[in-house]
Amino acid sequence: MNCLQSPNETADGDDLVVRIAERVAEADGVDPMALPPLAEVLDADLLERLLDSADTSVSVGFEYHGHTVVVCGEGEIQLK
């Protein structure tokens, strides 16, 4: 997978978990608070540490609320 930094997304500033929830909620047309807790499927602290310690070519994928979520080392979040 080719992970390219989107001009509208940066790894700084926003909390990664919040951005993932917002992206999935937007795709589903629901409020982010209506989604199940991300902690049920992912250790968010571990994900953030992995992305912070790896080079920018890393990507991590997982299933969440009917989507395959891919988070790239640059902070990009993709849904499949």
Side-chain angles (χ1 to χ4, degrees), residues 5-12 19 23 74-78:
Q5 181 72 21
S6 166
N8 295 326
E9 278 192 74
T10 61
D12 298 330
R19 292 190 301 122
R23 178 64 63 86
E74 299 89 355
E76 180 184 5
I77 300 168
Q78 299 178 355

Side-chain angles (χ1 to χ4, degrees), residues 55-72:
D55 70 30
T56 57
S57 64
V58 69
S59 64
V60 177
F62 58 93
E63 296 296 318
Y64 177 59
H65 203 256
H67 298 275
T68 300
V69 179
V70 179
V71 182
C72 301

Side-chain angles (χ1 to χ4, degrees), residues 20-78:
I20 292 170
E22 288 173 344
R23 178 64 63 86
V24 171
E26 180 182 340
D28 288 351
V30 300
D31 185 283
M33 298 303 290
L35 297 175
L38 191 58
E40 291 180 0
V41 297
L42 176 74
D43 181 335
D45 291 333
L46 181 61
L47 175 62
E48 288 186 26
R49 286 194 313 262
L50 173 65
L51 294 175
D52 287 344
S53 67
D55 70 30
T56 57
S57 64
V58 69
S59 64
V60 177
F62 58 93
E63 296 296 318
Y64 177 59
H65 203 256
H67 298 275
T68 300
V69 179
V70 179
V71 182
C72 301
E74 299 89 355
E76 180 184 5
I77 300 168
Q78 299 178 355

